[in-house]
Amino acid sequence: MNPKTVSVHIVTYNSADDIIECLSAVLAQDYPVKKIVIVDNASTDGSADKVRAFYHQLHSNSAKVVSADSQAPSSAGSTIRTPSLVLLENEHNTGFAPAHNQAIAGTNTDYVLVLNPDLTLAPDYISRLVARFEVNPQIGSATGKLLLRADHSLVDSTGLRMNKARRAFDRGAGESAGLWNESGVVFGVSGAAAMYSRRMIEDTSVEGEFFDADFFAYKEDVDVAWRAGLFGWQAYYDAEAIGYHERGWKTSGRSGKAMFIKRISYINRYKMIYKNESSRRLLLTLLYSLPYEIAAHGYSLLKEPKLMGAWSSFLAQRANLKRKRRYIQEKAKRQGK
């Protein structure tokens, strides 16, 4: 029986400091990767050039970058599989969601690993997740135990959780890694190192988009997780599949984030609720979220009034959101959700 095919998709934006370590870990996987697709969103730090130089060096070392069947020697004396590489260079920053849709459209593999450039994987990360998918066809997405690169004893994410106020969080973030050794079904998976089945991608795409391009970035993985659950798919956390993420040690506090980023993160939650929350649950969600909404908006009006400008994006996209909501809710009803 032919093994299931896997492609790895990475979106770079000024990721020159991280991309080579990330790629090296992908090449060292013990499961054959068919293709790596890198979409560079108009980086100004030479990220794309660094990728080209890295693969050229592999080619010079007699590693033919043509298929997942070819192999090149690693510095440790073992073998490194060299998948085909597709490097797409966008003229401007299209955002995380559209860029990953671009990569997905360019592959036909059974599984897609969406991977952040500042994340490195243990050699068996892909093989463990593929095994989980093959055991249970209801699993549409999977992730491993993502640890902070600067401190492997602390968790970055073990999947996503969502509370009754429809606020989403990374499970276990900042907690001891030893507390998260139990694998199992979760609400969703973080887009930092998420594997999706092609069957789920095709089933949950709306108007040809897997990630909602109207989100640009932030919470697009939560939106996918919610929609997938409505359509009957499961997400799975494998505690034995390990990844190491730089996030949390590079990022600054809220005051250091640009207003553009704050606005996107803020408004995408409401876009997500508008599309995915059923009419019968909307009032209940409002009641649960009211204390948070009052506190958060009170703070924003006093400290960050410009944040409210994000609603112009919602209003401008309302027709799109309404159309997507209709499709999602009708399909969810057919699933009995």
Side-chain angles (χ1 to χ4, degrees):
M1 184 174 67
N2 292 329
K4 298 295 184 180
T5 55
V6 174
S7 57
V8 177
H9 302 180
I10 305 168
V11 172
T12 54
Y13 178 68
N14 293 337
S15 309
D17 290 344
D18 301 305
I19 188 59
I20 301 308
E21 188 173 356
C22 175
L23 282 174
S24 297
V26 171
L27 294 175
Q29 291 295 298
D30 62 12
Y31 191 93
V33 173
K34 181 178 181 181
K35 181 183 289 187
I36 299 172
V37 181
I38 297 177
V39 181
D40 185 73
N41 263 337
S43 295
T44 58
D45 68 344
S47 294
D49 290 336
K50 208 162 189 178
V51 170
R52 274 191 292 268
F54 177 70
Y55 253 67
H56 177 71
Q57 184 177 10
L58 287 180
H59 182 79
S60 299
N61 291 335
S62 300
K64 295 181 180 179
V65 187
V66 292
S67 74
D69 296 325
S70 62
Q71 295 183 338
S74 73
S75 59
S78 58
T79 57
I80 296 179
R81 294 178 176 86
T82 53
S84 63
L85 172 72
V86 175
L87 176 61
L88 305 175
E89 297 180 72
N90 291 332
E91 293 184 357
H92 64 279
N93 185 1
T94 63
F96 179 96
H100 270 298
N101 288 340
Q102 191 178 349
I104 289 169
T107 60
N108 61 0
T109 49
D110 298 305
Y111 298 110
V112 166
L113 177 63
V114 170
L115 187 63
N116 276 12
D118 63 345
L119 205 147
T120 55
L121 305 173
D124 60 352
Y125 189 90
I126 290 177
S127 61
R128 286 186 178 278
L129 296 191
V130 169
R132 291 294 186 181
F133 281 107
E134 293 301 292
V135 167
N136 183 358
Q138 281 188 285
I139 295 175
S141 60
T143 189
K145 183 190 290 185
L146 307 185
L147 306 175
L148 294 175
R149 187 186 292 178
D151 187 344
H152 295 179
S153 70
L154 296 179
V155 167
D156 175 69
S157 178
T158 64
L160 302 172
R161 64 181 180 88
M162 178 179 278
N163 65 16
K164 293 179 180 179
R166 298 310 193 188
R167 297 181 64 206
F169 305 90
D170 283 294
R171 293 188 339 140
E175 298 181 13
S176 170
L179 300 175
W180 295 91
N181 293 329
E182 184 175 347
S183 302
V185 174
V186 293
F187 169 79
V189 299
S190 167
M195 185 173 283
Y196 300 103
S197 76
R198 180 69 58 173
R199 292 186 307 118
M200 194 196 89
I201 289 173
E202 293 175 349
D203 183 59
T204 59
S205 292
V206 180
E207 299 182 350
E209 294 178 353
F210 180 58
F211 292 113
D212 191 332
D214 286 337
F215 279 46
F216 186 84
Y218 300 104
K219 296 185 175 66
E220 71 291 315
D221 51 357
V222 184
D223 178 58
V224 162
W226 193 347
R227 184 167 73 249
L230 291 175
F231 292 178
W233 294 94
Q234 291 182 355
Y236 197 88
Y237 161 63
D238 187 326
E240 300 300 318
I242 306 297
Y244 305 98
H245 198 185
E246 188 72 22
R247 183 177 62 184
W249 296 89
K250 278 187 174 180
T251 55
S252 58
R254 183 175 180 83
S255 61
K257 291 184 172 63
M259 180 54 64
F260 171 70
I261 293 175
K262 293 179 185 177
R263 282 180 171 177
I264 292 173
S265 181
Y266 162 79
I267 201 61
N268 282 355
R269 174 170 170 263
Y270 296 101
K271 292 178 183 179
M272 182 175 64
I273 292 172
Y274 182 82
K275 290 193 308 170
N276 298 310
E277 190 67 276
S278 66
S279 299
R280 59 186 172 81
R281 285 189 56 88
L282 203 53
L283 179 58
L284 189 60
T285 296
L286 178 61
L287 291 174
Y288 278 123
S289 64
L290 195 57
Y292 167 77
E293 302 295 343
I294 292 172
H297 284 84
Y299 173 87
S300 296
L301 289 171
L302 288 173
K303 302 290 187 180
E304 297 178 327
K306 291 183 179 179
L307 189 65
M308 295 301 102
W311 283 101
S312 63
S313 166
F314 187 98
L315 295 174
Q317 296 169 355
R318 188 171 182 274
N320 290 345
L321 294 168
K322 186 176 182 179
R323 192 172 60 250
K324 293 170 185 177
R325 171 181 170 79
R326 186 182 302 115
Y327 174 84
I328 292 167
Q329 295 305 315
E330 288 178 356
K331 185 165 182 174
K333 284 180 182 178
R334 294 197 296 270
Q335 295 287 340
K337 298 293 184 178

